C-alpha cells in the first residue's frame, strides 16, 4: 500500500493527475486496513481536486474523514475540497477542526484564515492570524493576511498603518509580493476614503503594468465616483486592451452601462460558463450579466443569470437578525450614553435597505460644505452586530467601558476624515439593527431609514452581487424577510424612544426640492436649490450607484420590479404587509 501511495504522489508531483487517480482507485479496490483506506481516499480526493474536479473530489475526502475523524490533515483536505466547491461555511467548520486537532499548526491556521476571509468572518480571521503576524520572522503573506483581516473587520486605519511597512518605495521596480501589498494598500485606502493615496497606488501599478487587471479594477471605481461612468469604462477598456479580458474587469465593465461591446459580453458569458473558474468569479460574472441584461430590459436573461449567480455565491449560515435586534433593544434599555466632548461632528446614520435610494440622499447632503459623506463606513459594526448577545449578557459597567473605548476610537477615526465638518453621513444599511448602541456611543446622533417599494428593492438586491456579509442577499424570500425586519426595527426603536426619521424614495423623486429642504431643515443645515444640480454633487460617492446619483433626479428612470412580477407573486401577501408597515412609518 505504501508503494502505491508513493507512486501516486510522484505522479501528482509530475502533474500526471489521471495516472495518480488510476493508481489510487486501483489500490482502493483491494483489501485495505481502515487507516490505509482513509489515506488513499484522502489522496484520491486531493488528486481529483488538483485536476479541477471538486464535485467528484468531495465524496472520497468526506469518507476519509468519516473513517478517521481525528486526523487533522484529512479534515484539512476535506476543507480544501469544500472551498473549491464553494461550500464556504462547511469548509470553515472543517478548517477549525483541523486547527484544533493539530494544536494550532501554523499552515493550517493560515488556511483557516483564508477561508474565514472568503466567508466574511473577518473578526475571527484577525484574531486567529494576529499571533502569527506579530512574530518577528513572520513571512509577508502572513502579514498581508493580517492586514486583510483588519480591513475586513472594519479597522481600516489599523489596516492602513499595518500595510505601510510592506510597501516598496518605487512601484516601477516592485516585485510580485510588493505589488500585491501595494494593491492591498490601494483597496484599504479606497475603503478608508484616502482617495488620493488610493489613486496614486493604483495608477502607479498600472503605469508599471498597463494590463494589471486587479489594479484597474481598483482604479475604475475611484474614477467612477469622481468622474463618472465613461471615464471609468476607459480605465477598464485600456486594461483589457493591454492585458486581455479578466473576470474582475468584465464584472466592472458590464456594470457601467448598456453599451458594452458584444465581444466583452461574449467573453463574460464564456468565463461564467467555465466550471474550472473559481465559483466566486463565476457567481460575480453571472451577477454582472444579470445587471447588464436588466439595463437592456431583457428580464428573462437578467433573472436567469441572477439565479445562477446567487446559487454560486459563497454562502454561510444566515444570522438570526431578529434575535440580534432583540439583543440590541435590551442593550439600549440597559446602557447609558457615553459622555461626549463639545465640538465634534454629529453623526447622521442612513440605515435603510440596500438599493433603497440612500446613495442619492447621501449625495444631495454631501453637496453642502457642512456635511461630509463617509460612504458605507460602518466602522463600529464588527464590535456591535455579531457580538450582540455577548454584549447584552455583559455586566453593565463592563459594557459601558467598552462603549466608551469604541466612542474614543471612532472619534479619532472620524477626525482623520472630516474633523471640520458639522455632520458626518454614514449610510451603511446594517446599522439600523444596532441603532441603539450607536446612539449610546455617539449621543446626539440622528437616524433615518429610506423606504422604497419593497418589491422594487427586493428585485434590485437579487439582481446584484453583494458580499457574504449581506447573508440574505442571495435568496429572494430571505431578502423580503429582511425588508420586513427593517420596517419592524424602525418601529421597535421608536417604541424605545429613539427617533428614526422615515424617508420615502418615491416622494424624493416626485418632489426633490421639497423633500430635500425638509431633510436639511431637520438637520439644521442651510438648504440651497443648486444642491440638486448634478454639477454640485461632485463629492465621491463610494457606491456603484455613483453614476446614477449624479444624474438629474426624475421619475421613470427605472422600471422597478414590473418585468419580474411573476417571481414576486408567491410573496405578494408579505410584500403588501411590508407596504402597509412602511406607509404607517412614513405617515
Amino acid at each position: 500500500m505504501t508503494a502505491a501511495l508513493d507512486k501516486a504522489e510522484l505522479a501528482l508531483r509530475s502533474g500526471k493527475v489521471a495516472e495518480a487517480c488510476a493508481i489510487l482507485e486501483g489500490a482502493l479496490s483491494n483489501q485495505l486496513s481502515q487507516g490505509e483506506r482513509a489515506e488513499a481516499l484522502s489522496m484520491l480526493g486531493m488528486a481529483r481536486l488538483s485536476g479541477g474536479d471538486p464535485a467528484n473530489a468531495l465524496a472520497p475526502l468526506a469518507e476519509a474523514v468519516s473513517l478517521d475523524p481525528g486526523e487533522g490533515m484529512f479534515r484539512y483536505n476535506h476543507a480544501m475540497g469544500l472551498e473549491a466547491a464553494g461550500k464556504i461555511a462547511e469548509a470553515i467548520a472543517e478548517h477549525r477542526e483541523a486547527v484544533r486537532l493539530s494544536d494550532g499548526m501554523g499552515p493550517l491556521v493560515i488556511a483557516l484564515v483564508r477561508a474565514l476571509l472568503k466567508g466574511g468572518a473577518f473578526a475571527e480571521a484577525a484574531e486567529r492570524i494576529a499571533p502569527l503576524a506579530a512574530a518577528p520572522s513572520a513571512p509577508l503573506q502572513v502579514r498581508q493576511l493580517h492586514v486583510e483581516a483588519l480591513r475586513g473587520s472594519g479597522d481600516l486605519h489599523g489596516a492602513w498603518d499595518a500595510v505601510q511597512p510592506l510597501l516598496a518605495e518605487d512601484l516601477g521596480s516592485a516585485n510580485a509580493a510588493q505589488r500585491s501589498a501595494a494593491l492591498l494598500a490601494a483597496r484599504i485606502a479606497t475603503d478608508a476614503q484616502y482617495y488620493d493615496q488610493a489613486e496614486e497606488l493604483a495608477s502607479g501599478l498600472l503605469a508599471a503594468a498597463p494590463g494589471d487587471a486587479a489594479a484597474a479594477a481598483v482604479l475604475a471605481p475611484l474614477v467612477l465616483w469622481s468622474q463618472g461612468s465613461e471615464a471609468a469604462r476607459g480605465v477598464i477598456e485600456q486594461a483589457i486592451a493591454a492585458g486581455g479580458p479578466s473576470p474582475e474587469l468584465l464584472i466592472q465593465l458590464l456594470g457601467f452601462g448598456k453599451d458594452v461591446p458584444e465581444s466583452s459580453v461574449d467573453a463574460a458569458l464564456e468565463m461564467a460558463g467555465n466550471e474550472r473558474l473559481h465559483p466566486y468569479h463565476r457567481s460575480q460574472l453571472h451577477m454582472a450579466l444579470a445587471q447588464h441584461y436588466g439595463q437592456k430590459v431583457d428580464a428573462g436573461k437578467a433573472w436567469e443569470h441572477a439565479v445562477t449567480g446567487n446559487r454560486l455565491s459563497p454562502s454561510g449560515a444566515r444570522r438570526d437578525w431578529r434575535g440580534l435586534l432583540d439583543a440590541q433593544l435590551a442593550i439600549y434599555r440597559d446602557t447609558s450614553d457615553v459622555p461626549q466632548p463639545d465640538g465634534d461632528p454629529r453623526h447622521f446614520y442612513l440605515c435603510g435597505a440596500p438599493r433603497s435610494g440612500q446613495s442619492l440622499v447621501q449625495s444631495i447632503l454631501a453637496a453642502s460644505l457642512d456635511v461630509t459623506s463617509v460612504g458605507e463606513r460602518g466602522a463600529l459594526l464588527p464590535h456591535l452586530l455579531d457580538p450582540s448577545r455577548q454584549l447584552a449578557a455583559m455586566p453593565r459597567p463592563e459594557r459601558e467601558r467598552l462603549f466608551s473605548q469604541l466612542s474614543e476610537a471612532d472619534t479619532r477615526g472620524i477626525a482623520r476624515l472630516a474633523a471640520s465638518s458639522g455632520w458626518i453621513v454614514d449610510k451603511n444599511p446594517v446599522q439600523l439593527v444596532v441603532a441603539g448602541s450607536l446612539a449610546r456611543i455617539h449621543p446626539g446622533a440622528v437616524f433615518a431609514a429610506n423606504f422604497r417599494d419593497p418589491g422594487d428593492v427586493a428585485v434590485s438586491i437579487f439582481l446584484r452581487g453583494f458580499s457574504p456579509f449581506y447573508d440574505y442577499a442571495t435568496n429572494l424570500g430571505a431578502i423580503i424577510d429582511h425588508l420586513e425586519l427593517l420596517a419592524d426595527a424602525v418601529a421597535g426603536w421608536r417604541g424605545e424612544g429613539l427617533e428614526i426619521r422615515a424617508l420615502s424614495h418615491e416622494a424624493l423623486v416626485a418632489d426633490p426640492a421639497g423633500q430635500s429642504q425638509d431633510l436639511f431643515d431637520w438637520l439644521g443645515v442651510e438648504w440651497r436649490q443648486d444642491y440638486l444640480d448634478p454639477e454640485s454633487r461632485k463629492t465621491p460617492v463610494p457606491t456603484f450607484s455613483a453614476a446614477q446619483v449624479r444624474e438629474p433626479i426624475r421619475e421613470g428612470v427605472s422600471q422597478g420590479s414590473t418585468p419580474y412580477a411573476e417571481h414576486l407573486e408567491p410573496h405578494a401577501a408579505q410584500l403588501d404587509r411590508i407596504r402597509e408597515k412602511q406607509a404607517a412609518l412614513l405617515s
Side-chain angles (χ1 to χ4, degrees), residues 287 303 306 310 318 321-322 353-355 453-466 470-487 568 571 574-575 578 582:
M287 299 311 295
W303 196 262
N310 282 315
R318 292 196 188 106
W321 288 94
R322 289 193 178 273
R355 309 300 304 167
D453 181 82
D456 293 351
V457 175
V459 166
S460 188
I461 292 174
F462 190 75
L463 292 176
R464 282 165 174 79
F466 281 81
Y470 297 90
D471 54 20
Y472 53 86
T474 59
N475 180 281
L476 185 62
I479 293 169
I480 293 169
D481 286 343
H482 197 79
L483 297 180
E484 185 161 19
L485 165 85
L486 296 180
L568 294 177
H571 308 278
Q574 186 178 12
L575 288 168
I578 297 170
Q582 291 184 175

Side-chain angles (χ1 to χ4, degrees), residues 159-392:
W160 177 249
D161 292 340
V163 80
Q164 297 307 305
L166 311 184
L167 299 178
E169 290 187 10
D170 177 17
L171 286 179
S173 59
N175 60 31
Q178 291 168 328
R179 286 183 63 85
S180 176
L183 180 66
L184 177 57
R187 289 170 172 155
I188 293 165
T190 301
D191 294 343
Q193 299 186 48
Y194 304 155
Y195 296 127
D196 291 342
Q197 294 96 320
E199 187 167 348
E200 180 181 354
L201 286 162
S203 297
L205 289 168
L206 280 171
D212 187 333
V218 171
L219 182 61
L222 295 168
V223 174
L224 171 70
W225 300 337
S226 60
Q227 300 177 41
S229 60
E230 287 306 310
R233 280 184 57 168
V235 171
I236 295 297
E237 289 170 347
Q238 288 170 24
I240 290 175
S246 72
E248 298 96 332
L249 297 179
L250 291 173
I251 287 163
Q252 292 204 27
L253 183 60
L254 288 168
F256 289 150
K258 303 175 186 177
D259 302 323
V260 178
E262 282 302 313
S263 59
S264 295
V265 177
D266 291 341
L269 287 166
E270 182 178 353
M271 286 186 188
N274 181 0
E275 294 189 359
R276 292 182 178 273
L277 193 66
H278 193 283
Y280 173 78
H281 284 130
R282 289 184 64 208
S283 73
Q284 293 305 298
L285 282 163
H286 278 292
M287 299 311 295
L289 286 162
Q291 189 175 353
H292 171 71
Y293 285 116
Q295 290 171 332
K296 295 188 76 170
V297 201
D298 188 336
K301 287 184 178 179
W303 196 262
E304 178 184 344
H305 283 290
V307 168
T308 304
N310 282 315
R311 177 176 53 80
L312 290 169
S313 293
S315 60
R318 292 196 188 106
R319 296 176 179 86
D320 174 10
W321 288 94
R322 289 193 178 273
L324 295 176
L325 176 61
D326 289 341
Q328 285 290 327
L329 290 165
I331 290 168
Y332 183 68
R333 297 183 198 111
D334 192 40
T335 309
S336 297
D337 290 349
V338 174
Q340 299 287 298
D342 294 331
D344 287 334
R346 291 183 68 188
H347 294 256
F348 178 25
Y349 292 104
L350 273 168
C351 15
R355 309 300 304 167
S356 63
Q358 294 187 128
S359 296
L360 175 59
V361 175
Q362 189 178 40
S363 173
I364 295 169
L365 286 166
S368 168
L369 296 177
D370 248 355
V371 178
T372 295
S373 161
V374 295
E376 298 184 13
R377 181 169 176 266
L380 292 173
L381 282 174
H383 308 284
L384 299 177
L385 180 64
D386 290 327
S388 291
R389 292 181 178 84
Q390 297 95 306
L391 291 171

Side-chain angles (χ1 to χ4, degrees), residues 13 44 57 66 99 232 247 268 304 345 416 443 460 490 506 515 537 549:
R13 290 183 185 278
L44 174 61
S66 69
V99 169
E304 178 184 344
R416 296 171 75 162
S460 188
V490 173
E506 287 82 3
Q515 294 292 313
R537 294 185 268 128
V549 301

